Amino acid sequence: MKLELKAIKHSAFASQETHCYNAALFVDGKPLTIVSNQGHGGCDDDYQHPKCKLTNEEYRAKMMEVCNHFKAMPEVEHQSGTYKFMSQPSLEIWCGDQVNRFLSSKDLKRMMKTKVVLHCTADNEIYTIKRVYRPVNLPQIKQANNGHTVLNSLDFEAALELFTSKK
């Protein structure tokens, strides 16, 4: 099952305990549902996407199939400070992760326009140099910042993976 969250709209000012967002969930390339959250700490809401051609019963059955897809996954370990816990993946957690990825992507793109963005493997930190990246300067940047990966020189998805590994 291929899940994609598209047309994400995020409201930073309205996000309090959770992300305030609205997005379209596509399953296997077809629109299924609109997922949203008010940003006050409550659960996500979902309703049938206007372009979804399923009947109400078929829609609910497909949503149950999506939920069962997550229930079949193994539990995932999380850590908050020194506290470790396990949780079962769910559509709501997955959507939150996709919104986080969307926001991180926007942040990284904004940074990369005006700065050289570096990832240090030794401490898993992100550093920036306030200068516009030019590929011709890559050897100089690498020499001056030994042990750092220049995110600007990577494929964007690979750079995003390193950028989000810190968060």
Side-chain angles (χ1 to χ4, degrees), residues 6-167:
K6 296 182 178 183
I8 299 171
K9 296 174 191 157
H10 179 264
S11 176
F13 82 90
S15 297
Q16 294 175 4
E17 293 182 26
T18 55
H19 288 300
C20 179
Y21 77 98
N22 184 302
L25 176 67
F26 281 63
V27 177
D28 298 326
K30 296 178 184 171
L32 178 66
T33 191
I34 299 293
V35 182
S36 63
N37 193 302
Q38 298 297 314
H40 303 293
C43 297
D44 285 357
D45 298 316
D46 66 79
Y47 58 90
Q48 190 167 349
H49 193 287
K51 293 183 180 177
C52 180
K53 304 298 182 203
L54 301 175
T55 66
N56 195 36
E57 293 79 25
E58 292 170 332
Y59 168 72
R60 283 289 143 209
K62 191 67 169 176
M63 286 301 292
M64 187 57 69
E65 188 180 320
V66 170
C67 289
N68 289 336
H69 169 74
F70 287 103
K71 285 180 184 176
M73 293 180 177
E75 287 191 341
V76 179
E77 184 177 309
H78 302 278
Q79 185 166 352
S80 177
T82 58
Y83 179 70
K84 290 184 180 183
F85 61 97
M86 302 293 285
S87 74
Q88 182 65 45
S90 68
L91 177 60
E92 189 165 356
I93 291 170
W94 180 85
C95 287
D97 289 345
Q98 296 305 302
V99 173
N100 287 336
R101 187 172 178 82
F102 168 77
L103 295 173
S104 293
S105 174
K106 282 178 59 173
D107 289 345
L108 181 58
K109 284 177 185 175
R110 189 175 326 118
M111 271 188 203
M112 290 171 81
K113 283 183 182 179
T114 59
K115 296 179 176 101
V116 175
V117 184
L118 305 166
H119 176 264
C120 179
T121 53
D123 61 3
N124 198 30
E125 291 288 336
I126 298 294
Y127 298 97
T128 59
I129 301 170
K130 193 172 183 178
R131 89 185 224 201
V132 177
Y133 171 76
R134 305 232 187 283
V136 70
N137 296 335
L138 184 60
Q140 293 170 303
I141 295 168
K142 282 187 172 184
Q143 184 178 12
N145 298 284
N146 193 20
H148 292 66
T149 304
V150 181
L151 299 188
N152 305 64
S153 69
L154 301 176
D155 166 63
F156 186 76
E157 287 301 315
L160 186 59
E161 279 302 315
L162 288 173
F163 184 71
T164 57
S165 70
K166 173 60 187 143
K167 296 185 175 195

